[in-house]
Amino acid sequence: MSPRSQRPQPPPRALASLGRAVNERFGGAAFLRTSMRKAFPDHWSFLLGEIAMYAFAIILLTGVFLTLFFKPGMAEVVYDGSYEPLRGVRMSEAYASTLRISFDVRGGLLVRQIHHWATIIFMAAICVHLLRNFFTGAFRKPRELNWLIGIGLFVLVMLNGLFGYSLPDDLLSGTGLRILEGVVVSLPLVGSYALMFLFGGEFPGDLIVPRLYIVHILLIPGILLALIPLHAIVLTWRQTHTQFPGKGSGNRTVRGYPFFPVFIAKTTAFFLWVFAATALLATFFQINPVWLFGPYDPGAISSGSQPDWYMGWLEGALRMMPAWEVTTFGHTLPLSVLVPALVVPGLLFTGLALYPFLERWVTGDHQIHHLLDRPRDVPARTGIGAAGVTFYGVLWIAGGNDVLAHTFHVPLYWTTWIFRIAVLLGPVLAYTVAYRICLGLQRRDADLVAHGLETGVVRRLPSGRYVEVERRLTSAETAAITDPRPAPAVRMGDRPEHDGVTPPETRTALGRARLALNRRFAADLAQPPRRSEDTEIGPPRK
């Protein structure tokens, strides 16, 4: 092959002319050239956000198909479709059209199940992606806005999932709407007015499904279409990408592969894998068989009714809460509904939204962070995250307390009281255990740097003593432990009293609380150990 043939060939003249014409009118050529060379880290955990984005794309595509056949009406019709057990039964137009999609539209059931499974995957990916960002400190400066957008997306997707599986108007989804009606009407002062506004009259009315349909396919998806690119592309593109500590990684450098062609090829293949996994789930694992539940009847309820998993924690909170009521100024406040349906999610989502700012206030850390923390290096944050996951998990499991009681043949009240106790003690225990595990992993890291990796080979020294041979780790293998990185907290040791004058930070209760929290947070932060001289045999262990 001649040297001339090995030179890169220029693009076709027509394509070059088109590119030049577009750039002359709209600009952006320099930005595109820079973007094509942007480095993306190759760690597997960064794919979690991509799973959510691809699941959202699948939801949109299948949702467009379903809107062609679904009829969001609550007028009563007599079913005369293909499903024999329900033929001749009076039902709403929404339920009848859902049965038609499932049994009479070619590919309709498969698309319905792909749509539902994609929503399940979407929510799961968001949750795990959020946890990854929390435990690694990816929410810190300059990404606080991205964290807030992510929390907003989490809430919107959860609401849209609730509205989506309420649309078929079957017995299960109608039971969920009945719970929503109970929550709305329990609001003090405005509950009855909000109920009339939402349902257009007494429950169930004839407007709720059409209204939920508009919100489900237009309002919330439109907001998501605006926020997801901002969250996943614009802000991330304009900022340095986060990465884990390691050889070649730093707070000012990014180690990874260019967006084009490496990342583009990998992410396209990953989208196909996500779609294939969703299609396989929809093909072989039945979900939401509405024809088994029948049309919604306000006077009926099915046994063992369970919502989709991402709403299970709210169900669990409702089941665990005691039947408390408070009467004040002539108004009755049903705490058994208000606390689990409003106070618990309010505390959870408000706490998530405010946490980056609370941690910055406690730690005094105002640095720019592009390098992530390993969870073991910040035990206090990891413990808080473990406590939150345990609190959520106990609520989630409690949503199936009747199923657990039936399966394990224990009284229902036993399971209820077990979960009431666990939701209070579980987070405390989880924080303690996670904290201690982090300290143990820190000591293991220090031991690996100082002594090396155990090989299992025992050697006898000339003195007759037996020692285990340990392989020294290379600098690349220990870089994640030993390389310097920005400290996650600034130690705010209180200044001593001088001539009877106390330091400003200790003069208020809030200042003293901040100092106490700062000491607790910074008490056991990992300190990068120093490497000792390389040798094949490490010092004997005590």
Side-chain angles (χ1 to χ4, degrees):
M1 184 178 293
S2 64
R4 181 181 298 273
S5 61
Q6 296 179 4
R7 297 174 183 172
Q9 299 296 319
R13 180 175 300 177
L15 189 60
S17 300
L18 176 62
R20 186 167 51 253
V22 171
N23 182 57
E24 288 172 351
R25 288 160 177 78
F26 304 103
F31 172 75
L32 287 177
R33 281 196 298 268
T34 304
S35 300
M36 293 299 105
R37 296 194 299 268
K38 181 178 175 66
F40 277 79
D42 200 36
H43 196 272
W44 64 267
S45 65
F46 293 108
L47 299 177
L48 297 171
E50 293 181 42
I51 294 176
M53 185 169 61
Y54 299 148
F56 179 64
I58 297 170
I59 291 169
L60 288 181
L61 294 174
T62 53
V64 170
F65 177 88
L66 295 175
T67 57
L68 301 177
F69 304 98
F70 181 72
K71 189 171 183 179
M74 299 189 71
E76 281 196 348
V77 297
V78 177
Y79 180 69
D80 61 351
S82 302
Y83 188 60
E84 289 285 349
L86 291 178
R87 185 170 293 176
V89 176
R90 298 186 66 84
M91 59 185 65
S92 66
E93 292 177 323
Y95 188 57
S97 65
T98 304
L99 294 177
R100 178 171 174 261
I101 292 172
S102 302
F103 295 106
D104 298 317
V105 175
R106 180 167 296 181
L109 180 59
L110 177 62
V111 175
R112 259 197 69 231
Q113 299 219 141
I114 290 176
H115 188 75
H116 204 124
W117 274 114
T119 303
I120 298 294
I121 294 173
F122 189 24
M123 282 300 306
I126 288 177
C127 288
V128 182
H129 178 63
L130 183 147
L131 291 176
R132 200 275 300 180
N133 286 342
F134 179 88
F135 283 110
T136 60
F139 53 79
R140 293 173 296 179
K141 186 179 178 180
R143 296 175 181 83
E144 300 94 336
L145 177 59
N146 226 17
W147 172 263
L148 292 176
I149 293 174
I151 300 300
L153 289 172
F154 187 23
V155 176
L156 288 173
V157 173
M158 185 177 295
L159 285 175
N160 213 34
L162 169 64
F163 297 158
Y165 75 66
S166 299
L167 291 179
D169 199 32
D170 60 288
L171 183 57
L172 182 61
S173 65
T175 302
L177 281 178
R178 186 65 169 180
I179 296 174
L180 176 64
E181 180 260 349
V183 172
V184 172
V185 80
S186 68
L187 297 174
L189 301 179
V190 299
S192 57
Y193 300 101
L195 175 68
M196 293 296 176
F197 175 78
L198 180 62
F199 288 89
E202 293 290 341
F203 179 84
D206 57 359
L207 296 177
I208 185 62
V209 168
R211 289 177 175 178
L212 291 182
Y213 181 71
I214 296 300
V215 174
H216 180 71
I217 70 167
L218 288 179
L219 180 60
I220 294 182
I223 299 174
L224 294 178
L225 282 172
L227 291 182
I228 288 179
L230 181 65
H231 175 75
I233 300 174
V234 177
L235 290 178
T236 304
W237 215 273
R238 295 299 301 171
Q239 297 170 348
T240 301
H241 207 293
T242 57
Q243 59 184 333
F244 284 97
K247 191 69 174 179
S249 300
N251 208 41
R252 297 178 179 272
T253 59
V254 178
R255 181 185 61 178
Y257 296 98
F259 176 76
F260 182 84
V262 179
F263 182 80
I264 268 292
K266 291 173 64 175
T267 197
T268 302
F270 195 54
F271 168 74
L272 297 177
W273 275 105
V274 172
F275 182 80
T278 308
L280 286 174
L281 286 171
T283 302
F284 296 106
F285 297 94
Q286 180 176 267
I287 189 170
N288 198 26
V290 293
W291 53 89
L292 299 181
F293 308 136
Y296 178 63
D297 179 1
I301 185 171
S302 60
S303 175
S305 297
Q306 301 291 321
D308 278 343
W309 74 268
Y310 51 86
M311 299 300 297
W313 65 287
L314 290 175
E315 177 83 5
L318 284 167
R319 295 188 183 200
M320 282 195 302
M321 185 67 189
W324 293 345
E325 290 184 352
V326 176
T327 301
T328 177
F329 299 108
H331 295 278
T332 299
L333 301 180
L335 300 181
S336 57
V337 178
L338 287 176
V339 171
L342 297 179
V343 176
V344 172
L347 289 176
L348 178 65
F349 291 117
T350 303
L352 284 173
L354 295 181
Y355 184 82
F357 310 99
L358 292 175
E359 182 177 303
R360 185 169 62 189
W361 178 73
V362 169
T363 62
D365 175 30
H366 295 274
Q367 298 185 77
I368 298 289
H369 289 273
H370 300 310
L371 203 61
L372 299 173
D373 291 327
R374 297 185 308 162
R376 69 187 67 177
D377 293 342
V378 190
R381 184 198 298 145
T382 302
I384 293 171
V389 171
T390 303
F391 178 76
Y392 180 95
V394 171
L395 293 179
W396 181 74
I397 298 174
N401 65 340
D402 56 340
V403 177
L404 293 174
H406 174 75
T407 303
F408 295 101
H409 306 288
V410 296
L412 178 63
Y413 290 105
W414 286 17
T415 61
T416 302
W417 274 102
I418 288 172
F419 288 127
R420 286 174 179 173
I421 296 172
V423 80
L424 298 176
L425 298 183
V428 178
L429 181 62
Y431 176 89
T432 305
V433 171
Y435 199 98
R436 300 303 301 178
I437 290 175
C438 289
L439 296 184
L441 291 174
Q442 287 182 22
R443 295 189 182 99
R444 178 179 177 273
D445 287 344
D447 190 64
L448 285 174
V449 174
H451 300 285
L453 188 66
E454 298 175 358
T455 63
V457 177
V458 177
R459 177 178 296 178
R460 184 180 182 184
L461 298 180
S463 62
R465 184 163 61 101
Y466 290 93
V467 296
E468 182 180 13
V469 177
E470 296 171 328
R471 180 181 67 82
R472 288 294 179 181
L473 300 180
T474 65
S475 58
E477 292 175 313
T478 60
I481 306 172
T482 59
D483 283 6
R485 68 208 64 169
V490 177
R491 298 180 185 272
M492 301 178 183
D494 43 332
R495 292 173 284 180
E497 183 177 322
H498 182 69
D499 292 336
V501 179
T502 58
E505 59 267 22
T506 61
R507 294 174 188 171
T508 63
L510 186 62
R512 290 190 293 272
R514 183 186 185 190
L515 283 176
L517 291 172
N518 179 266
R519 293 193 199 100
R520 178 68 271 172
F521 194 94
D524 294 300
L525 295 176
Q527 300 297 326
R530 297 178 59 185
R531 289 179 54 86
S532 58
E533 295 295 330
D534 290 345
T535 179
E536 184 184 19
I537 302 177
R541 299 176 184 272
K542 296 182 180 180

